[in-house]
């Protein structure tokens, strides 16, 4: 049971780290007026998405890159 908890905590921390990293890319693109069609955290099938302005924001199933 502890192993499952550690794996879930690792994935949550990895997801936070990836989100912060990707937000840096997103902020620089917006700062230099680069068109951003989608800002997604993770890859694979979409769990959640929302379009705001010109950008679609998405959370995907695998919390890597």
């Amino acid at each position: 049971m502890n192993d499952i908890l550690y794996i879930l905590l690792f994935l949550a921390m990895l997801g936070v780290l990836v989100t912060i990293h990707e937000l840096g890319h997103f902020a620089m693109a917006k700062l230099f007026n680069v068109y951003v069609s989608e800002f997604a955290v993770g890859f694979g099938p979409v769990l959640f998405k929302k379009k705001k302005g010109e950008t679609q924001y998405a959370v995907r199933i695998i919390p890597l890159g």
Side-chain angles (χ1 to χ4, degrees):
M1 185 65 173
N2 258 350
D3 292 338
I4 294 171
L5 180 61
Y6 288 136
I7 290 170
L8 291 175
L9 285 173
F10 172 74
L11 289 175
M13 289 187 309
L14 189 61
V16 168
L17 183 63
V18 167
T19 301
I20 292 168
H21 175 84
E22 294 301 322
L23 277 171
H25 291 286
F26 180 72
M28 288 296 105
K30 288 295 190 177
L31 182 67
F32 289 99
N33 295 319
V34 175
Y35 172 73
V36 179
S37 62
E38 180 181 31
F39 173 77
V41 176
F43 61 91
V46 175
L47 293 175
F48 171 78
K49 66 181 176 181
K50 181 176 183 177
K51 186 160 180 117
K52 184 176 177 184
E54 65 182 19
T55 304
Q56 178 175 307
Y57 299 88
V59 175
R60 296 179 179 266
I61 199 161
I62 301 171
L64 301 172

